[in-house]
Amino acid sequence: MSSLKLLGLYRALFAIILTFLITSIFFIMSNTNPILAYYYIFVGAFGNINLIIETFVRATPILIISLGLAISFRCKVWNIGAEGQLYMGAMLGTITAIVLGESYFTFPIAFIMSLIGGALWASIPAFMKSKLGINEVITTFLMNFISINFIQWLLAFPFKSPETLFPESDRIPNSSILPILIPYTRMHLGIIIAFLLILPLIHFIITKTTFGFKLKAIGENPEAARYAGIDVEKILFLALVISGALAGMAGFIEVAGIQFRMRPTISPGYGYTGIVIALLGQNNPIGIALASIFIAAIINGSSTMSRMLNQPQGIVDFIQGLLIIFVLASDYILKYMSRRGLIKL
Amino acid sequence: MSSQIPSFFSNDIVLHVEGIRKVYPNGVIANDNVTLSVFKGEIHAILGENGAGKTTLVNIIAGCIKPDAGEIYVNGKKVNIDNPRTATKLGIGVVHQHFILIPALTVIENIALSLDSGFKLDLNKVREKILQISSLLNLKIDLNARIEELPVGLRQRVEILRVLCQNANILILDEPTSVLTPIEVEEFFRILRNLKEKGCSIILITHKVKEALSISDRITIMRKGKVIKTLTPKETNEEELTLLIIGEKQNSEFISLTEGNNKNKEILLLVNNLNVKGDRGELSVKNVSFSLYSGEILGIAGVAGNGQKELIEALTGLRKPESGTIIIRGENVINKKPKSLIKKGMAYIPEDRIGRGVILTMSIAENAILKIFEENPFSNKTIMNRNSITDYTQKLMKKFGIIAPNPNIEVRALSGGNIQRLIIARELSYNAKILIAENPTAGLDVRATDFTHRMLLDLRSKGMGILLVSADLDELLKLSDRILVMYNGKIMKEFNRNEYDIYKIARLMLGIEV
Ligand SMILES: Nc1ncnc2c1ncn2[C@@H]1O[C@H](COP(=O)(O)OP(=O)(O)O)[C@@H](O)[C@H]1O
Ligand SMILES: [Mg+2]
C-alpha cells in the first residue's frame, strides 16, 4: 500500500478512536459503562441477519450521496447541499412515477428524472461558482432550506394525497417500487444498485478516467491544472452537478425502496451525514463504502443502545460531529506527532 | 564579540547589522557577510538588482526569517529578533514589498489590528492616535475608507501609518516606489523627508538608481548577497552606481553563441499593440508589439514587476488582454483558452515551478502527462491507460535525467533541478513550436542551470522559437539572438546581438533613458 493510502487509513482510524474515547467520557459521566454501550450499538447493528440488512438499508442512501460528494470534494468543491438535492431529486422522481402510472417505463424514467432533479438543483450553485465565482459552501447550504420548504409546500397542497391526513404524496405505482430480494425483510434492489453498481462505477470514474484525473489535478493545484489546459470552470461545474444527481438518486431510491410515498421527512439529514462519510472515507470509494456501513451501524445500533441503557439517541449526532472535527484535525495532529518522532509516517 | 568598528557605540547609530548570512534550503546564498549601519535621522538606500538579497535582509531585520549567522544591534545593544513582534517592540517598522492589509476592513480597523490594544478594541483611541500622527506629518487619508477602495499609493500610506502607530523610529520600506506613479513618488518622498525631520531613520530598499540619488543621505549597494560599498550621493553618480549594481562583466561572455539559422525563418508569433491589465486593474502591458521567429531566442529583459508576468499570462491564455492581437500561424488567438493555445503549439516553462509548473502531490507520471493525457496512447479521451503512461514516463525520466526510484513517486520528493527537468520534459512532449521560458533558471543550482541553458540552445537549433523572459541579464546576453528591454509595461528598445551593450541595457531596465 502506498504511503498516501496508509495515511488516509491512519487518519480515519485516528478520528474514530478519538471519537470513541471522548464519547466514552460522556457515557461515564452519565453512569453508563461505555463498553456496554458500544456492545449494544454493535449488537443493534449486526446482531442478526435482519439487523444486518437494516444496517445496509440505512447505508444505501448515505453511500450514494457520499460517493457523489467524493466527486465534488475531490476537486475541492464543497457541496453542502446534498440534503436539498436529495429532496428535489426524490420529488421529481416521485411526481414522474405518479404521472406515468403503471408501466414498464415508469421506474427507469422516474429514476432518471430523480437524477435530473438533483442535478438541476445543484446546477444553480454550480453556475454561480464557475461563472461568477460565488462560494458554493454558502449557496449550496442555503438552498437546502429553500428546497425543503418548497417541497413541504408541494406536499401540503398541489401534490398532497387525498387519501391521508399527512402532507405526503400519493403512493407511487407498484411498477416503480424496487423489488424486495429477501422476503420479510427490507432488502430491496436499491441496496444492490448502490453497492454493486454505483460504487464500482464511481470508483472507476475516479481512478480510471480522464475526468477523474482532471478532478484530482484541479483539487491538488488548480493553478497548474488551468495552465496545463484543463478547463477548470467546466470541471467544477460538472463535479457539483454530478454530486447533485447522485443525491437526487439517493432520494428516489429511498422513496422507491422504503417509503413508497414522498414525504417531507424522507431524509433525517442524510445529505449532511454524507459529508461526514466522504470526509471519513477520504473521498476514496472503498473507504466511503466502509464508512457508510460504519455510520449506518452507529445510527441503527444507537437506537438499540438507547433502549437498553436508557441513553439519549442524540449520541448519534454527537459522534458524527466529533468524527468531522477529528478527521479534519487529524492531518495536523498526525503531522505534529510525526515531527515529534512519536509516530512514523 | 567581533566588533571592530570604532564608532560602534556612537549614539548616532540606531541600527547596525554585522556579518549577516542567510542560505536558503535550496542552497541559494541570499545574504553573505552583510554589514551596515544606519544613523539616526538618515535616509539610507539599499540599492541592488533583483535577487541581490535585499528582501532577505529586510526579513531578517524584521524577524520574519532567521539568519544563519550574524548579529543585530539596536541603539548599541545586541538584540535577538526572533519574531516580528520583537522587531516592533524595538521600534523597527517594516513596510513589506507585498502589503499585508486586509482589503475588506477600513483604514482604522486595519491599523487597530496591528496595535497591541489588549482585549477591548477602542477604535476611538486608535483614531486619536492616527490623527495625531497623520497631522504631524501632514498625511491626508480617509480613516473610514475600506482598503479595497483605495488606490495603491494610499494603501502604502496606510502601511506607513500603521508602523508609525506602533511607535516605530526605524522605518524599513521594501521597494516602496515600484507600485507608485511618478506623481505619487514625489508625494511619497515628501513624507519621507518629513519623517526624517521628526527623527526617524529610514531604510529605503530600491533598484532605481535615480531615486536613491535624489532622496537618500547614504547608499549601500548590494550584489549577489554581498554589500559592495556604502557611499553618499555627493561622491557618486548614476553611471558609477549602475556599474556597481551590475558588477564587472566580460563582453566575451556572450559572443560564443553560434549564429542562428537565418534562412527559412518564419514568424511563429506576432504580437501587436497588446495591452494587458494587472491584478490591481492597472495597465501593466502597454502597447507591446514584437514578433518571434523560428530558430531564435528572443530575450525580454527587465526588472521583475515591469509587466513581464502579465505579458506571459496573456500569451498563454491565463489572463484576458484588454486589446491588441496575438497571432500564431496566421490566426488571432487573443482570448483563447490555454488548451487551444497548447493545441496551437505553445509551450510554457513557468517561473513558479511549485505553484504553476507541477502538482506536488501527484506522481511524476501524472505530471509528465498533464498536458497530453487526452491523447493516444495515454487515454482514449475517456479512459486512462496507466501502463502506457508508466512506460512513457520511464523513458522520459531516462532521456531527461530525472532521478527518482520510479514514476509513481510524488513530485514533492524531487529536488528543484529535477522538477525543472520534469517540466521541460513535459513542455517538449507535444511538439510545440513556441516556448515561453519565464526565469527558467531562477533558484536552480549551477548544474541544473547549465542543463536548462543547453536545452534552450538545442531547441533553438531545432527551429523552435523561444521567448526567454528573464531578470538575469547574464543569462539573456548569453542565450538570446535579440533582446527587448521592458520597463513599466513598455518595450523600451530592441537590441540585436551585435549591438549588445550591457550598460545601455541595464540602464534601460532601470528606467534611465539612454
Ligand atoms: N524563500 C526562499 N527560498 C529560496 N530562495 C529564495 C527565497 N527567497 C529568496 N530566495 C532567493 O534568494 C535570492 C535573494 O532574494 P531576495 O532577497 O528576494 O532579493 P531582492 O529582494 O534583492 O530581489 C534570490 O536568488 C532568490 O531567488
Ligand atoms: Mg525584493
Side-chain angles (χ1 to χ4, degrees):
Chain A
M1 213 183 324
S2 78
S3 71
L4 211 83
K5 280 194 187 135
L6 214 59
L7 183 64
L9 194 66
Y10 276 149
R11 233 187 257 150
L13 289 178
F14 176 80
I16 290 170
I17 291 169
L18 272 184
T19 301
F20 277 154
L21 281 179
I22 293 199
T23 313
S24 302
I25 297 174
F26 283 84
F27 278 130
I28 292 168
M29 275 163 44
S30 56
N31 285 323
T32 306
N33 179 350
I35 311 258
L36 201 61
Y38 296 134
Y39 170 76
Y40 280 124
I41 289 178
F42 182 81
V43 169
F46 301 111
N48 62 42
I49 183 76
N50 231 318
L51 290 172
I52 295 177
I53 289 175
E54 277 305 307
T55 296
F56 275 84
V57 166
R58 182 74 76 178
T60 295
I62 54 185
L63 172 66
I64 299 174
I65 290 171
S66 45
L67 287 171
L69 290 179
I71 292 210
S72 76
F73 288 1
R74 279 204 150 226
C75 61
K76 305 241 160 51
V77 171
W78 305 113
N79 178 9
I80 313 296
E83 186 76 359
Q85 292 144 16
L86 176 151
Y87 272 99
M88 292 312 254
M91 188 73 214
L92 196 60
T94 305
I95 295 172
T96 310
I98 292 170
V99 168
L100 291 177
E102 301 287 354
S103 87
Y104 284 124
F105 313 109
T106 306
F107 180 78
I109 294 179
F111 183 78
I112 289 170
M113 289 310 283
S114 72
L115 286 165
I116 293 176
L120 280 178
W121 193 244
S123 70
I124 299 167
F127 176 82
M128 294 201 269
K129 162 106 181 152
S130 62
K131 288 279 180 253
L132 311 174
I134 298 174
N135 185 313
E136 74 283 4
V137 172
I138 297 166
T139 50
T140 52
F141 178 63
L142 292 182
M143 281 178 67
N144 286 343
F145 300 102
I146 301 175
S147 63
I148 290 159
N149 285 299
F150 174 59
I151 275 163
Q152 268 173 359
W153 176 79
L154 285 180
L155 293 173
F157 299 104
F159 291 98
K160 184 184 176 313
S161 170
E163 302 155 16
T164 74
L165 294 171
F166 305 106
E168 54 189 25
S169 74
D170 283 334
R171 205 180 140 89
I172 55 172
N174 282 331
S175 56
S176 61
I177 287 176
L178 287 162
I180 295 291
L181 304 175
I182 301 177
Y184 309 112
T185 72
R186 298 205 292 177
M187 174 83 192
H188 59 80
L189 185 64
I191 298 172
I192 303 296
I193 294 179
F195 279 88
L196 298 185
L197 199 71
I198 308 295
L199 172 61
L201 180 71
I202 300 295
H203 184 70
F204 181 79
I205 289 177
I206 284 177
T207 56
K208 295 282 189 309
T209 65
T210 51
F211 179 71
F213 183 72
K214 290 180 198 173
L215 288 177
K216 185 174 175 195
I218 293 171
E220 300 296 324
N221 185 344
E223 166 94 9
R226 178 171 290 118
Y227 139 83
I230 294 173
D231 191 341
V232 175
E233 279 67 36
K234 185 172 125 192
I235 303 293
L236 294 181
F237 180 88
L238 280 176
L240 187 41
V241 166
I242 290 173
S243 65
L246 282 159
M249 177 203 293
F252 185 63
I253 285 186
E254 198 60 12
V255 172
I258 303 291
Q259 312 264 358
F260 313 133
R261 290 173 193 273
M262 181 61 191
R263 298 192 166 100
T265 51
I266 52 161
S267 162
Y270 288 153
Y272 302 110
T273 305
I275 298 171
V276 185
I277 293 168
L279 289 174
L280 191 60
Q282 321 274 314
N283 299 332
N284 169 327
I286 311 291
I288 284 174
L290 294 173
S292 0
I293 295 169
F294 175 71
I295 297 282
I298 288 182
I299 296 175
N300 281 6
S302 293
S303 57
T304 307
M305 184 275 297
S306 86
R307 256 180 285 120
M308 301 299 290
L309 299 177
N310 222 351
Q311 288 290 316
Q313 233 188 316
I315 200 78
V316 175
D317 296 324
F318 183 74
I319 290 178
Q320 287 190 30
L322 284 177
L323 279 174
I324 290 197
I325 292 169
F326 288 128
V327 172
L328 294 179
S330 63
D331 251 357
Y332 299 96
I333 301 175
L334 285 172
K335 272 190 195 132
Y336 175 81
M337 283 165 64
S338 91
R339 251 205 322 274
R340 283 291 164 104
L342 297 174
I343 51 168
K344 240 183 102 178
L345 289 183
Chain B
M1 206 159 71
S2 68
S3 160
Q4 295 121 359
I5 303 163
S7 65
F8 189 73
F9 289 108
S10 139
N11 284 334
D12 286 349
I13 295 182
V14 289
L15 175 74
H16 177 79
V17 299
E18 176 80 33
I20 297 281
R21 180 180 170 83
K22 173 72 195 176
V23 184
Y24 282 111
N26 58 6
V28 174
I29 304 172
N31 276 185
D32 189 3
N33 197 18
V34 171
T35 297
L36 60 89
S37 323
V38 178
F39 297 134
K40 185 169 167 50
E42 81 163 337
I43 298 180
H44 190 129
I46 298 181
L47 195 59
E49 265 188 313
N50 254 306
K54 307 179 297 283
T55 297
T56 304
L57 181 63
V58 171
N59 284 333
I60 287 171
I61 298 173
C64 299
I65 58 180
K66 247 179 111 75
D68 296 320
E71 284 138 22
I72 302 175
Y73 299 82
V74 175
N75 297 321
K77 271 201 281 303
K78 184 172 169 182
V79 292
N80 176 22
I81 306 180
D82 46 7
N83 67 57
R85 215 161 255 276
T86 317
T88 307
K89 283 203 187 107
L90 289 166
I92 300 172
V94 182
V95 176
H96 289 278
Q97 207 163 347
H98 306 285
F99 297 162
I100 47 175
L101 299 168
I102 300 171
L105 297 185
T106 63
V107 171
I108 193 165
E109 285 165 341
N110 263 287
I111 293 177
L113 265 183
S114 66
L115 299 179
D116 246 340
S117 56
F119 185 67
K120 192 169 165 291
L121 185 62
D122 188 351
L123 282 183
N124 281 330
K125 233 167 91 189
V126 177
R127 183 190 310 273
E128 243 166 62
K129 179 149 199 181
I130 303 175
L131 286 176
Q132 191 193 338
I133 290 175
S134 57
S135 68
L136 204 66
L137 291 167
N138 195 14
L139 269 175
K140 277 176 238 90
I141 194 145
D142 174 7
L143 295 184
N144 294 319
R146 270 183 289 137
I147 297 297
E148 59 196 357
E149 303 165 346
L150 297 178
V152 185
L154 287 184
R155 286 185 203 189
Q156 184 172 54
R157 217 172 270 186
V158 179
E159 285 272 6
I160 294 174
L161 269 176
R162 182 178 62 79
V163 293
L164 292 177
C165 284
Q166 296 173 329
N167 300 323
N169 53 17
I170 304 170
L171 206 60
I172 307 181
L173 303 141
D174 195 356
E175 309 251 3
T177 57
S178 58
V179 293
L180 302 181
T181 62
I183 295 166
E184 286 175 319
V185 169
E186 260 169 51
E187 174 65 14
F188 171 70
F189 281 178
R190 188 187 63 75
I191 296 169
L192 288 193
R193 291 201 182 94
N194 251 335
L195 279 169
K196 179 181 146 181
E197 259 165 44
K198 302 279 178 306
C200 264
S201 307
I202 295 162
I203 301 180
L204 176 73
I205 311 285
T206 181
H207 58 254
K208 294 178 185 158
V209 178
K210 263 192 183 147
E211 284 177 1
L213 277 172
S214 72
I215 180 95
S216 50
D217 298 305
R218 290 193 304 148
I219 302 171
T220 293
I221 290 120
M222 282 185 75
R223 183 170 78 224
K224 301 214 160 118
K226 291 197 176 78
V227 167
I228 302 300
K229 206 169 184 183
T230 297
L231 21 73
T232 63
K234 283 203 191 75
E235 63 193 31
T236 184
N237 54 40
E238 265 184 62
E239 204 72 35
E240 185 191 16
L241 286 177
T242 310
L243 278 176
L244 286 169
I245 290 173
I246 58 183
E248 299 296 327
K249 291 201 172 131
Q250 250 98 64
N251 278 339
S252 61
E253 263 181 36
F254 50 84
I255 51 171
S256 61
L257 182 58
T258 52
E259 272 304 302
N261 179 7
N262 271 317
K263 287 165 221 145
N264 313 325
K265 272 200 172 176
E266 74 175 294
I267 294 188
L268 295 175
L269 174 68
L270 184 65
V271 176
N272 226 326
N273 286 325
L274 190 66
N275 286 290
V276 188
K277 277 191 176 166
D279 289 335
R280 296 206 194 90
E282 77 289 8
L283 204 57
S284 298
V285 175
K286 299 167 188 163
N287 271 324
V288 164
S289 305
F290 64 87
S291 38
L292 174 69
Y293 292 87
S294 58
E296 78 161 347
I297 295 179
L298 173 59
I300 296 202
V303 175
N306 277 289
Q308 301 97 317
K309 174 172 164 267
E310 290 79 6
L311 172 65
I312 290 172
E313 288 182 349
L315 293 178
T316 50
L318 294 167
R319 186 182 287 268
K320 247 176 109 107
E322 291 302 300
S323 62
T325 53
I326 302 170
I327 293 171
I328 299 178
R329 282 190 258 149
E331 193 192 329
N332 189 357
V333 296
I334 203 148
N335 291 334
K336 283 258 159 55
K337 292 195 170 181
K339 183 162 190 173
S340 31
L341 289 163
I342 291 168
K343 285 246 159 72
K344 281 246 144 205
M346 172 90 76
Y348 170 33
I349 300 174
E351 171 179 10
D352 185 2
R353 288 188 283 274
I354 305 303
R356 183 177 279 177
V358 289
I359 301 178
L360 284 181
T361 46
M362 287 172 79
S363 70
I364 299 176
E366 285 172 320
N367 275 281
I369 53 141
L370 201 53
K371 281 185 162 181
I372 47 172
F373 65 91
E374 285 182 295
E375 320 260 305
N376 242 324
F378 309 112
S379 77
N380 62 2
K381 274 207 179 295
T382 316
I383 297 166
M384 312 268 288
N385 182 345
R386 292 277 164 190
N387 286 338
S388 65
I389 293 170
T390 308
D391 287 349
Y392 166 80
T393 309
Q394 250 151 4
K395 282 186 205 126
L396 207 66
M397 286 167 68
K398 207 173 268 165
K399 187 171 158 202
F400 285 85
I402 301 164
I403 299 159
N406 66 63
N408 299 320
I409 298 283
E410 276 183 35
V411 167
R412 67 171 148 194
L414 299 184
S415 72
N418 273 317
I419 289 179
Q420 182 67 311
R421 281 165 198 255
L422 174 60
I423 293 172
I424 293 175
R426 184 187 61 218
E427 292 310 302
L428 302 180
S429 63
Y430 54 98
N431 293 321
K433 297 292 283 176
I434 302 167
L435 173 66
I436 297 177
E438 179 186 16
N439 288 316
T441 57
L444 292 186
D445 61 16
V446 186
R447 260 173 58 97
T449 300
D450 190 54
F451 171 83
T452 308
H453 284 171
R454 271 172 218 262
M455 209 67 226
L456 293 177
L457 289 175
D458 184 44
L459 294 170
R460 165 182 177 271
S461 68
K462 285 184 177 139
M464 208 169 192
I466 298 167
L467 190 69
L468 175 61
V469 181
S470 178
D472 181 347
L473 200 46
D474 291 334
E475 175 170 88
L476 288 168
L477 294 169
K478 185 169 150 205
L479 299 176
S480 7
D481 296 277
R482 290 185 292 146
I483 291 179
L484 304 173
V485 183
M486 205 166 171
Y487 176 76
N488 197 15
K490 290 200 232 16
I491 303 284
M492 303 288 279
K493 198 167 163 43
E494 177 180 336
F495 291 86
N496 281 317
R497 196 164 180 80
N498 52 15
E499 308 165 335
Y500 283 1
D501 178 333
I502 182 162
Y503 301 115
K504 257 194 202 161
I505 295 176
R507 287 165 61 92
L508 280 168
M509 278 169 67
L510 298 171
I512 306 165
E513 303 278 349
V514 200

